[in-house]
Amino acid sequence: MASKTQSAERKARIEEMRRAERARERRSRIITISASALVVAALIGSGVYLLNKESDKKEAREAAAKAPVKDEKSWDAKKLGRNHVTETVSYPMTPPVGGDHNQVWMNCDGDVYKEEIPKVNAVHSLEHGAVWVTYNDKAGDADVKALGEKVGKTPYSLMSPLKDQKGALMLSAWGKQITVDSATDPRVDQFFTKYVQGSQTPEPGAACTGGMGTQ
């Protein structure tokens, strides 16, 4: 009789242990599922945030590209010559924003030149959709450095000193030009956004490497 009682008690304990184990497994599954759901939700939320942020940046770029640049000078692109010449060209503006030019372009894949470059080669770069940043001895060292860093990160752009220009800092594209006093002027970013391979480009997609200058 005692043996039967002990056997029944043992079975009851075993069953209780099994129920406790099943309960622990259920809790573990619930915790795992809940944690996974939180991770998925966080990833989805992060993805949505990044997509919205990228969308906002794209909209800002598009708005900048459409908005006029304050105090920008423009020339009729149709009246700017595009012939290849071997001689020096006398341009009506400094820096030049277009016109006849040498058949070899200045490399403009984020190239920063420490010395003056031939205008007839730089103009060819503008024809390819580059933005040309120039400065004279009135420009501050910090501004020159900041603009050089920006150019260095931007394909289809180049930078060089130009002593005979009137403004301290000037940005030129084909038929377009602005003068700024500082690298932090918001028009700098706008000009890059609007004119690096912009709609003014006579030869969009043409090379900015394999020409003249640094490689």
Side-chain angles (χ1 to χ4, degrees):
M1 185 69 176
S3 178
K4 290 182 178 180
T5 300
Q6 290 174 353
S7 178
E9 289 176 350
R10 188 164 53 251
K11 288 180 179 180
R13 286 196 299 272
I14 291 171
E15 183 60 30
E16 181 61 30
M17 290 171 64
R18 288 175 176 171
R19 283 197 295 270
E21 181 62 26
R22 289 195 292 270
R24 281 195 295 272
E25 290 177 353
R26 285 196 297 271
R27 286 196 298 271
S28 296
R29 285 197 296 273
I30 291 170
I31 291 170
T32 300
I33 292 170
S34 298
S36 298
L38 288 173
V39 170
V40 171
L43 289 173
I44 291 173
S46 178
V48 170
Y49 170 76
L50 291 174
L51 285 173
N52 287 339
K53 188 174 181 180
E54 188 60 33
S55 178
D56 290 343
K57 287 182 179 179
K58 183 179 179 182
E59 290 178 0
R61 287 194 297 269
E62 290 175 349
K66 292 178 181 178
V69 181
K70 184 180 179 182
D71 296 329
E72 173 188 270
K73 293 182 178 180
S74 297
W75 288 261
D76 188 346
K78 294 180 180 179
K79 295 181 180 179
L80 295 173
R82 291 179 55 199
N83 297 313
H84 287 174
V85 297
T86 56
E87 68 273 9
T88 300
V89 178
S90 179
Y91 295 105
M93 75 294 288
T94 303
V97 298
D100 294 344
H101 50 268
N102 192 277
Q103 65 179 353
V104 181
W105 57 89
M106 289 301 300
N107 287 324
C108 46
D109 191 29
D111 294 273
V112 178
Y113 300 94
K114 300 302 182 182
E115 303 294 335
E116 290 199 18
I117 59 178
K119 296 173 183 177
V120 288
N121 301 98
V123 168
H124 196 157
S125 302
L126 301 186
E127 186 182 40
H128 289 191
V131 164
W132 182 19
V133 179
T134 53
Y135 59 96
N136 61 21
D137 56 7
K138 295 178 182 178
D141 291 342
D143 291 317
V144 172
K145 180 181 178 182
L147 287 172
E149 291 174 350
K150 182 174 182 62
V151 168
K153 299 175 184 177
T154 309
Y156 285 96
S157 72
L158 69 163
M159 180 173 176
S160 67
L162 188 56
K163 291 181 180 179
D164 60 346
Q165 69 179 30
K166 290 183 178 180
L169 301 164
M170 299 180 72
L171 283 71
S172 304
W174 189 269
K176 305 291 182 180
Q177 191 172 83
I178 59 168
T179 299
V180 297
D181 295 322
S182 168
T184 59
D185 189 313
R187 293 177 299 163
V188 172
D189 286 341
Q190 185 184 8
F191 197 90
F192 270 74
T193 298
K194 194 176 182 74
Y195 295 125
V196 169
Q197 283 285 281
S199 59
Q200 87 292 341
T201 305
E203 296 181 3
C208 249
T209 58
M212 178 179 175
T214 56
Q215 297 293 328

